[in-house]
Amino acid sequence: MNQSGMRDDHRPSPTDPPSLAERIRHEMDTFTPSEKRAAHLLLSHYPFAGLDTVAEFASRAGISAPSVLRFVTRLGFGGFPDFQRHLREELEAQLLSPLAKASPSDKGQGAPALASFAEAVIGNLRATVENIAPAEFEAVVALLSDPRRHIHFTGGRFTGALARYAESHFRIVRSHVDFIEGQPVLWRDRLIEIGRKDVIVAFDIRRYQEDVTALCETAAKQGATVVLLTDPWLSPIARVARHVLPAHIVAPSNWDSSAGLLLLTEALVAAVTKHLWDTAKPRMEAVERLRSGRS
């Protein structure tokens, strides 16, 4: 462990403390004005903004160098080099590919495979819930419950399946819901009409997809609100996202686990259904009549 209370190993276990980005978002309301400016700069280009010199970071944040050092100390680091060392470790974790992780033969020796994996996933679920500010989750629920908004779900190679799962549920309980393919050739013409009434809900975990990032950046420039479901290290989409819900994903496998993202998805579906029940119930009844062939 380093002085921030986080592991020095860049391959954290599911029971590790939250990432630095998670902690900053969770504690934002407790920061001083100068600390908030430093925090917003760091999150706007995470983690790269923190890899500048103290003077460069201070200049970009519009605060003094001593204020930057106080911010770093507030986060629990012994100094700026310690802070940057941790950011570099998180950057390494972001870039891990399935082949870069330990061989499966090195993991869980002697432990039942199902029980070991389940324990890790349960740890991810707990960590996901514990490290999301309730106010942030409720803000997303309110946004997705606004009938004036058009909701567009999108995701990457693997996370696109979760986006489609979410879209299938939300389409039943409210109107103006669809799915946008992440590849530019498929979304460029879809963004013509996207503007301030639109919400892009993006799913993106390491290794982050540039095409999904480009989609969200384009939509944000046109005035759309971006909601991001990601991992603790934060997809680059976080730079343009108004709301970020990170899920813990590390598992005893060469593959990351999406169980935390599924938890967040189903929790959002449940909360929005409850919030819109007066209008969602008739829609659900209509769907059941169509399914049964009744008029």
Side-chain angles (χ1 to χ4, degrees):
M1 294 281 183
N2 58 30
Q3 293 189 44
S4 68
M6 298 186 183
R7 292 166 60 95
D8 290 319
D9 183 357
H10 67 267
R11 295 184 178 93
S13 73
T15 56
D16 275 353
S19 71
L20 183 58
E22 284 181 292
R23 285 181 50 210
I24 290 172
R25 284 186 173 274
H26 200 272
E27 299 172 11
M28 185 71 75
D29 290 343
T30 69
F31 291 162
T32 66
S34 291
E35 289 169 346
K36 285 183 178 179
R37 294 178 78 166
H40 285 305
L41 171 62
L42 180 59
L43 293 179
S44 71
H45 221 80
Y46 191 84
F48 301 100
L51 299 178
D52 288 336
T53 66
V54 173
E56 289 170 334
F57 188 93
S59 176
R60 292 180 63 193
I63 59 178
S64 67
S67 293
V68 172
L69 297 178
R70 283 193 294 270
F71 172 66
V72 167
T73 301
R74 168 69 179 271
L75 295 176
F77 295 98
F80 205 70
D82 188 27
F83 166 72
Q84 291 191 319
R85 186 181 310 112
H86 179 79
L87 291 179
R88 285 191 292 270
E89 289 167 358
E90 287 203 6
L91 182 58
E92 289 180 29
Q94 284 184 3
L95 300 176
L96 278 181
S97 70
L99 286 174
K101 298 177 184 179
S103 166
S105 61
D106 298 333
K107 299 173 183 262
Q109 292 293 332
L114 178 59
S116 175
F117 196 90
E119 183 179 358
V121 169
I122 291 169
N124 279 340
L125 298 181
R126 289 199 184 100
T128 296
V129 173
E130 291 170 358
N131 293 303
I132 288 180
E136 183 79 344
F137 182 83
E138 293 302 326
V140 175
V141 171
L143 189 63
L144 300 184
S145 299
D146 186 345
R148 299 167 298 178
R149 299 280 193 161
H150 293 238
I151 313 298
H152 312 272
F153 292 90
T154 190
R157 180 183 175 194
F158 295 112
T159 54
L162 289 167
R164 282 194 177 277
Y165 179 77
E167 182 259 353
S168 296
H169 280 79
F170 277 93
R171 181 181 290 277
I172 296 173
V173 300
R174 57 156 296 161
S175 59
H176 305 306
V177 173
D178 64 22
F179 177 85
I180 301 178
E181 294 283 357
Q183 295 89 341
V185 68
L186 298 174
W187 60 251
R188 285 197 177 102
D189 59 341
R190 295 285 305 279
L191 264 63
I192 295 173
E193 297 179 347
I194 284 183
R196 296 188 180 279
K197 290 185 178 180
D198 296 274
V199 178
I200 306 292
V201 182
F203 292 72
D204 192 33
I205 62 174
R206 67 178 184 186
R207 296 172 288 168
Y208 314 113
Q209 290 195 212
E210 293 180 1
D211 47 7
V212 180
T213 299
L215 186 162
C216 292
E217 290 176 342
T218 302
K221 288 178 182 177
Q222 295 178 194
T225 300
V226 177
V227 174
L228 172 65
L229 280 73
T230 185
D231 54 36
W233 305 285
L234 305 188
S235 159
I237 296 170
R239 296 195 296 264
V240 297
R242 181 175 301 178
H243 301 290
V244 178
L245 300 178
H248 284 238
I249 63 172
V250 178
S253 165
N254 289 82
W255 305 97
D256 289 325
S257 170
S258 294
L261 292 171
L262 182 59
L263 166 66
L264 292 175
T265 300
E266 295 192 332
L268 287 171
V269 170
V272 171
T273 301
K274 180 178 180 180
H275 197 276
L276 294 177
W277 185 243
D278 288 345
T279 54
K281 183 181 178 183
R283 287 180 64 89
M284 295 167 72
E285 290 172 341
V287 169
E288 288 303 312
R289 286 195 298 271
L290 289 170
R291 288 171 61 88
S292 64
R294 292 182 284 117
S295 60

